[in-house]
Amino acid sequence: MSTPEEQIKKTTFDYIVVGGGSAGAAVASRLSEDADVEVALIEAGPDDRGKEVILRLDRWMELLESGYDWDYPIEAQENGNSFMRHARAKVMGGCSSHNSCIAFWAPREDIDEWEQRFGATGWNAEMAYELYRRLESNEDAGPDAPHHGDSGPVHLMNIPAHDPSGQALLDACEQAGIPRTAFNTGETVINGAGLFQINRQADGTRASSSVSYIHPIADRPNFTLLTDLRARALRIDEDNTCTGVDVVDGAFGRTRALTARHEVIVSAGAIDTPKLLMLSGIGPAEHLRQNGVAVRVDSPGVGEHLQDHPEGVIQWEAKQPMTETSTQWWEIGIFTTTEDGLERPDLMFHYGSVPFDMHTLRQGYPTTENGFCLTPNVTHARSRGTVRLRSSDFRDKPLVDPRYFTDPHDMRVMIAGIRTAREIVAQPAMAAWAGEELYPGAEVQTDEQIRDYITKTHNTVYHPAGSVRMGAADDTMSPLDPELRVKGITRLRVADASVMPTLTTVNPNITVMMIGERCADLVKQARAASTQDRSVGATAS
């Protein structure tokens, strides 16, 4: 593997993708399929090849707050846990190299809403499901799921039913009125529980975007991978055309200028993408001025509409020894509703076969070495937060303010989640497994007591999204048009979770890869149209 000094011998490319994460790896891989274009992929973190702690999916929890984590603190929360941190991966593959690889196709209603409610023309379930098929191979889909792909780069598999406590939990869900179900069948699961599908290879290697899209093409002649290079600012000329990006190498601290002949695609994620745009003069004008950044485009929606899946936790001591092996320790999902008439579930649980005391221990709650937990999370939180600059220095972490539970809907759903978790675990099927409830504890019963517990101890499912959303061309609060182009700047697009008008009901990682696939299609279409225009012009002359 080359050093940053050796890497940047070439500085001009047709396309530059900033961020080697879930979407960025897909964009770069697909664009480089055209042998006539030169593509560079820039990643601030290291290469993941040869790093077992990254590649082994069952070690993912070791990565939280590690050297492979940007580890963003959040601003003080008026209604939430101010100790909480947003893990953002600092390595090739981005959060797909850092997460538990829970693999979901989003409900059709989620994607259709982007088009119907927000004016993101072309973003609908028909489009998305075609791209889901293209990006995945799914040997476990079975004959009842003919919609699945069989030759895509991202390998999906069913989690095997090896955990006896987990199987008892699924029995308990049935006893509580939540039937067993399969996921990724093409139908929206409003009330159901089952083992997840995950993007993992048969040998236990995570099928991250890096493993799936970049490892196979790393030696492609027209593809250049540049790691350990941090984007400082986009290069934008006097005509508001993006011509490239300034990067700083981690080894020597030197700024280099990289040039894009055609387009730059920013795929730095829902926290770092708005930061980079603002550092480049694209964002809320007054905020930019306050931080000494010259305003190129007054785009008030940059850094707005930050969304997430807030997560609570309820933990039990186990009466029997818990499993000592797992694909990734969080193998079961439960969906249900807290009110009638919903077309999508408003409550989701992840089941963990390990203790989860990240925020409870500091509050004095007991812990265990042998336990299981359920983590209720709000699938469609209504609270909205912001990402802002801390200063004009690219090295400073941004100000991340999720504003958790500022909409009372979210706390209502979370309180209902704690009560539903107790109802499930109280069923006969869990009698041989469920010992003492460690937190919040059996004495915490009233809404007020549960609210206080959640406020002090809640976490996130690490799903920030929506901070540079796409929308109708005339929507001033949507910084992007439906083709992911940054309004007011030419030759610049965004492709990552920040573009989502609303966060998906489910874990969004596969959808973020789908966004990368869609972006590559849009760029290819623009290139084809430009080539045709030049051809017609030459013929006419």
Side-chain angles (χ1 to χ4, degrees):
M1 287 178 272
S2 61
T3 67
E5 183 79 359
E6 296 168 330
Q7 285 179 346
I8 309 187
K9 293 180 179 178
K10 182 176 181 60
T11 59
T12 300
F13 308 88
D14 292 303
Y15 299 99
I16 296 175
V17 182
V18 181
S22 302
V27 175
S29 175
R30 294 304 192 187
L31 290 182
S32 67
E33 290 173 343
D34 183 348
D36 292 331
V37 302
E38 293 180 305
V39 178
L41 177 60
I42 301 167
E43 167 55 40
D47 198 323
D48 60 325
R49 286 173 289 183
K51 293 179 170 59
E52 284 294 296
V53 69
I54 300 291
L55 297 175
R56 292 290 309 179
L57 176 56
D58 58 4
R59 296 183 63 180
W60 78 272
M61 287 187 290
E62 298 176 44
L63 302 174
L64 299 177
E65 301 182 16
S66 74
Y68 297 108
D69 187 354
W70 289 109
D71 188 31
Y72 289 133
I74 64 172
E75 297 304 292
Q77 299 294 288
E78 58 185 289
N79 295 322
N81 174 16
S82 299
F83 286 96
M84 210 203 77
R85 309 180 78 81
H86 261 288
R88 298 285 88 193
K90 186 181 180 181
V91 67
M92 268 300 301
C95 290
S96 70
S97 288
H98 211 261
N99 64 7
S100 58
C101 287
I102 295 168
F104 268 115
W105 292 26
R108 294 178 185 274
E109 295 88 348
D110 285 356
I111 311 299
D112 283 339
E113 184 179 34
W114 294 355
E115 181 174 63
Q116 295 166 3
R117 181 179 165 195
F118 293 92
T121 305
W123 291 83
N124 51 53
E126 181 179 2
M127 175 279 301
Y129 275 46
E130 178 181 343
L131 294 182
Y132 286 138
R133 282 191 290 272
R134 179 170 64 182
L135 71 84
E136 72 163 33
S137 59
N138 196 330
E139 64 189 39
D140 289 332
D144 296 329
H147 62 285
H148 280 277
D150 58 8
S151 59
V154 185
H155 183 263
L156 270 61
M157 59 169 282
N158 291 338
I159 288 177
H162 292 164
D163 175 11
S165 173
Q167 292 305 302
L169 181 73
L170 291 174
D171 291 339
C173 286
E174 289 188 297
Q175 292 169 352
I178 304 174
R180 267 181 166 85
T181 191
F183 298 126
N184 292 341
T185 66
E187 299 299 320
T188 299
V189 177
I190 298 176
N191 187 60
L195 288 159
F196 290 126
Q197 286 206 313
I198 53 176
N199 46 301
R200 193 197 79 158
Q201 298 180 344
D203 65 356
T205 301
R206 63 169 66 245
S208 65
S209 64
S210 182
V211 169
S212 303
Y213 284 101
I214 301 303
H215 291 194
I217 68 147
D219 296 325
R220 191 174 277 173
N222 63 327
F223 172 73
T224 301
L225 175 61
L226 301 171
T227 57
D228 298 294
L229 292 176
R230 191 170 182 184
R232 181 172 190 160
L234 299 168
R235 299 178 65 82
I236 301 172
D237 68 16
E238 63 275 7
D239 297 321
N240 273 5
T241 297
C242 186
T243 62
V245 60
D246 287 336
V247 297
V248 179
D249 69 58
F252 300 98
R254 285 187 284 234
T255 299
R256 314 294 184 87
L258 302 182
T259 300
R261 299 185 189 97
H262 297 304
E263 292 195 38
V264 173
I265 299 95
V266 177
S267 299
I271 292 176
D272 281 299
T273 285
K275 176 188 172 185
L276 180 59
L277 293 180
M278 288 186 283
L279 287 173
S280 307
I282 306 164
E286 185 57 30
H287 175 66
L288 299 184
R289 293 189 188 103
Q290 289 171 355
N291 283 279
V293 177
V295 179
R296 290 191 174 276
V297 177
D298 180 9
S299 185
V302 172
E304 288 287 330
H305 313 116
L306 180 66
Q307 304 160 52
D308 193 15
H309 287 144
E311 175 183 73
V313 60
I314 178 169
Q315 177 86 38
W316 286 268
E317 184 83 52
K319 290 181 178 179
Q320 301 181 55
M322 293 294 294
T323 183
E324 295 184 356
T325 61
S326 176
T327 59
Q328 38 72 300
W329 307 105
W330 299 85
E331 297 188 331
I332 287 172
I334 305 167
F335 291 95
T336 192
T337 58
T338 65
E339 57 182 299
D340 295 333
L342 298 179
E343 64 174 359
R344 287 165 284 181
D346 60 348
L347 180 62
M348 178 184 182
F349 300 86
H350 296 76
Y351 155 77
S353 55
V354 288
F356 186 46
D357 58 9
M358 180 179 287
H359 295 290
T360 56
L361 195 59
R362 71 163 54 90
Q363 295 293 341
Y365 292 93
T367 191
T368 182
E369 293 295 322
N370 186 61
F372 65 90
C373 62
L374 289 173
T375 57
N377 70 78
V378 185
T379 63
H380 292 285
R382 296 177 186 174
S383 302
R384 294 290 181 269
T386 59
V387 178
R388 292 285 182 260
L389 295 178
R390 190 174 301 273
S391 77
S392 60
D393 190 331
F394 76 99
R395 293 166 295 190
D396 283 345
K397 293 184 178 184
L399 300 170
V400 181
D401 184 5
R403 302 187 70 240
Y404 289 118
F405 303 111
T406 49
D407 190 303
H409 161 272
D410 304 346
M411 184 60 77
R412 181 191 64 75
V413 173
M414 190 71 86
I415 291 170
I418 294 292
R419 296 193 186 284
T420 300
R422 285 172 167 167
E423 181 183 355
I424 292 168
V425 174
Q427 299 301 315
M430 286 299 290
W433 287 95
E436 179 187 0
E437 181 186 311
L438 299 178
Y439 38 91
E443 70 282 0
V444 176
Q445 291 294 331
T446 68
D447 283 0
E448 183 177 355
Q449 288 172 326
I450 297 173
R451 180 182 297 107
D452 179 65
Y453 165 75
I454 291 168
T455 299
K456 292 186 298 185
T457 64
H458 81 87
N459 198 41
T460 167
V461 200
Y462 306 106
H463 296 161
S467 53
V468 189
R469 76 181 185 191
M470 60 180 165
D474 60 355
D475 179 2
T476 59
M477 291 304 293
S478 293
L480 308 179
D481 72 10
E483 295 188 18
L484 303 178
R485 296 175 298 200
V486 176
K487 295 174 183 176
I489 303 287
T490 57
R491 292 170 43 183
L492 178 62
R493 299 183 203 244
V494 173
D496 53 37
S498 72
V499 313
M500 295 184 182
T502 56
L503 179 56
T504 55
T505 303
V506 295
N507 300 59
N509 194 229
I510 296 298
T511 298
V512 177
M513 295 183 193
M514 180 273 290
I515 290 169
E517 291 270 358
R518 172 71 169 164
C519 180
D521 282 355
L522 293 169
V523 173
K524 288 179 178 180
Q525 290 166 14
R527 175 176 170 80
S530 176
T531 301
Q532 184 177 16
D533 288 344
R534 288 197 300 270
S535 176
V536 170
T539 302
S541 62

